[in-house]
Amino acid sequence: MSSFAGRMKEYPTLSLDRFDRENLHSRAYFLSHCHKDHMKGLKGPILKRKLQFSRTVRLYCSFVTKELLLSNPKYAFWEEYIVPLELESPTQISLVDEASGEKEEIVVTLLPAGHCPGSVMFLFEGSRGNVLYTGDFRLAAGDVSRIEHLHSGSRVKDIQSVYLDSTFYDPRFYQIPTREVCLNGISELVGNWISKSSYHVVWLNCKAAYGYEYLFTNLGEEFNTQIHVKNLAMFKKMPEILNYVTTDRRNQIHACRHPTDEEFFQGSRLPCGCTASDGTPLSIISIKPSTMWFGERMKKTNVIIKTGASSFRACFSFHSSYSEIKNFLSYLQPVNIYPSVIPIGRTLTEVTQMLKLMCRNQSDQAASIYKPLGVLKRGIVEQPTYDSDSDDGLFEQLDLAPVRKKMALNRDTKNVKAPSPQKTAAPVSVEESFPLTVAGAQPVARNYVDCTETIKGTEKKVIEVEGSGSSNPPKWQDFFTTETLTDSQNSLTSQLQSCCSVPSSSPSKTTGSQTPDLFSDEEETPDNFSLTLSASLSNHSSQNQDSYLPDTLILQTEQRGREQGDLRTNTISLEKEINGQNIQSELEELSESQASSDFDIPCTPESKIPQTDELSQLYRKLASGDEVVIRKGSQGSM
DNA sequence: GCGATCAGCT
DNA sequence: CACAGCTGATCGC
C-alpha cells in the first residue's frame, strides 16, 4: 500500500496520488491509477470546493483512469476538472499560483505502468530536472529500455529522482514468475477443468480491485467465452474488456463476488448463486490469484498450488519483483530514489539504505573516478534478460536455455550500444523480454514502433488549462487493448502495457507433458512436490532450503562478516561472475552487514567504505580489460 | 450525520 | 501469503 505523501521534492507545487492535507494547496493533481490507496482525499469536500473556485487546477490521468474514476458516483464531480492525457505524449502544463499569477512550466509524459487498466508512470521534465514517479508498476526485466520517452536520442535521460513503487523491493521477493508463465498456468488449470463437462465451473477468487482484467480477457479469448462478473458498467466504453465479461451467470468461468463468497464456495455454491438449470450440482474449483515469490536461488517451482480439495492458488502479481525493480533502476541510474511503499517487515531506513545502492552516485562511483561527470550520460544499454538471475530460468515453459548462459558479464556498462530508438524497434529481442511470446506477438517492441510513428516522440502538446476539459472523446480501441497481439495493428503500445495485456497463448501453449509439475498439491501428494510442500509448511516457498547451483561458490556468513571490505572477498566474487554466476546477493549481503555491523578497520577521514556496486563495477571493468586508473585516496580500501 | 482511523478479514 | 479493499467499531466534530 502506498504511503507516498503526495509531493515530490523537485516539484512541490503538484501532487500525485494524494489529495489531502498539504496537497490541498497544489497547483495540479495527478492520478496514476484507480486504486483506493492512491486516491486518498480525492472525494474530499475541501478539495471539491477548491476546484469550484479555481480556473487552473486540474487532475491529470490516463483516459482509462478517468473512465474508471468517473464510473464511481462519489468521484463524479471531478468530471469537469479532469484532463485525460494520451500515453507517451509529452504535454506541457502551466503550474499557476492563482494568488500571485506566478507560473512554472513543466512537461509531463504518461508512461505505461503495467499495474492495472489505465495505470501510468509520470515523467516530469522541468527546470528542476527530470523526475519519474512510477505509481504502482509491473514491468518485466528489459521493458524499461523500450520506453521511448525515457530516452533522448540514443541515450537514457538523466533522471534526477525516481519515486518508486518499492512494494517488493526486498531480496525476499527476488523473483516472481512472469505474467505469461502465470497466465499459462492458470489457463491450463481452467482448461483442464471446464473441459470435463459443462457442469464443471471455475471461480476466480479475485479481490475487489482493478488489475485482473487481463486475466479475464485472456481466458475469455482462449476458451471463447466470457467471464461472469458482478458489475461491468465501468467498462462500458472499453470494448476490449467488455467483450470478455458478462453478467450472465450461465457461464463456466466466474469472477463474481459476494460478501460471504468463501462460505458459498464451501457449500459448493458460486458467489452469484448460479446453479445448473437441470438441477445437476455444479463441480466448482476456486482459483485464488495471489503473489508468489521465490528466492534468488530457488529451483523452478509451480505457479499453481493446490490448497484444498478443490481450491488452488495461482501466482499473480501487480507489482515488479525485486529483480525486476533492480533491473529498472540499474538501467535508469537516477541520482535519488524515494520509496513510496515499505515492504512488509521492513523499515523506511532499511529500504532507503538498500535503494541507495541503486542510485547513480553509488553504483557509478567507481566509473565516475575515471570519467568526468560530463560524459557520464548513459547510452542505451542492451538489457541482458537471460542472465542467471532472470526470472525465467526458473519457470520453464519454452526451451530457451541456450541463450541464458554467459550473460552475467553483459550488464550495465558492458555491451553498450547506441541504436536509434526510432528505427530499431528495440534494443532487445522480443524473446528476451517476453520469453513466452508466441510467433508474431511482440508485446512491447512492436508497439514501440507503432507509438513512435503515431506520436512522433519529440512533439509536445500544450495544454490550455483554462476552460478546457477533455476535447477529444476517448477512443477506447486506442487506449485499452486486450486483444490478442496479432490483432493489435491499431493499438498503441502504451495502452497495451497499461492494461497489462499479455500475448494470448495459443499455438505454443504449454501442455501438461511439458510442464509436468505445473500443479502441486499441498495436501495430497507432498512427496512429489517437495519444494512446494516445504513452501507450504514454512508459509512460503522463499523459505525453502535453497538448492544452490552446484557450481556456485558460497561464502559462509561469518566469513563474509570478517572479510567485508576486504579485496579478497570480492575477488572470489569476481571469479564467480566470470564463471557465469551472478554475484549480486553476496555483494548485497556484504553490504548489509557493512551497514549494520562492527567494521573493524577505521576509515581515513576522506575515505569511505566501498559500496558493493562500486566494487562490482570496478571488477567488471577489470575483467573486461578496460583501463582502470585509481585516483589516489578516492576509495577507502584501495 | 459524517469523516477519519483502526482492527479484522479475506 | 501480503495487495487491495470491505466491514464494523470507535472517536471526534
Side-chain angles (χ1 to χ4, degrees), chain A residues 2 4 6-8 10-11 14-19 28-35 38-39 42 58-66 69 82-93 95 106-126 129-137 139 147 149-150 157-165 328 332 334 338 340 463 494 498:
Chain A
S2 175
F4 181 63
R7 298 196 297 176
M8 306 185 295
E10 294 80 1
Y11 300 106
L14 52 85
S15 286
L16 307 102
D17 289 352
R18 279 294 289 267
F19 309 91
Y29 295 102
F30 296 82
L31 179 61
S32 69
H33 64 287
C34 219
H35 278 166
H38 291 253
M39 295 160 64
L42 195 58
R58 295 294 180 269
L59 174 67
Y60 301 89
C61 62
S62 68
F63 279 85
V64 172
T65 295
K66 177 188 173 184
L69 181 69
I82 295 184
V83 179
L85 300 177
E86 299 210 32
L87 302 190
E88 317 227 286
S89 180
T91 303
Q92 183 170 318
I93 293 173
L95 304 170
I106 196 165
V107 174
V108 65
T109 309
L110 276 56
L111 307 174
H115 176 70
C116 72
S119 67
V120 296
M121 310 190 284
F122 293 107
L123 173 65
F124 295 97
E125 297 167 274
N130 303 330
V131 177
L132 179 66
Y133 173 82
T134 69
D136 283 352
F137 75 100
L139 296 179
I147 300 178
H149 291 279
L150 290 174
K157 280 181 181 170
D158 183 0
I159 305 291
Q160 178 65 25
S161 294
V162 168
Y163 293 82
L164 179 77
D165 170 15
F328 180 81
L332 294 177
Y338 302 100
S340 54
I463 286 280
S494 19
S498 174

Side-chain angles (χ1 to χ4, degrees), chain A residues 603-631:
Chain A
C603 295
T604 55
E606 303 283 298
S607 73
K608 59 187 280 301
I609 297 162
Q611 297 299 315
T612 56
D613 283 348
E614 301 165 20
L615 289 168
S616 166
Q617 290 257 351
L618 181 56
Y619 291 131
R620 228 170 257 141
K621 261 184 173 302
L622 284 165
S624 66
D626 282 3
E627 189 180 332
V628 174
V629 181
I630 298 176
R631 200 166 59 195

Side-chain angles (χ1 to χ4, degrees), chain A residues 561-574:
Chain A
R562 240 181 284 121
E563 294 184 1
Q564 56 191 327
D566 184 326
L567 201 58
R568 280 174 301 156
T569 307
N570 296 288
T571 307
I572 293 168
S573 297
L574 175 66

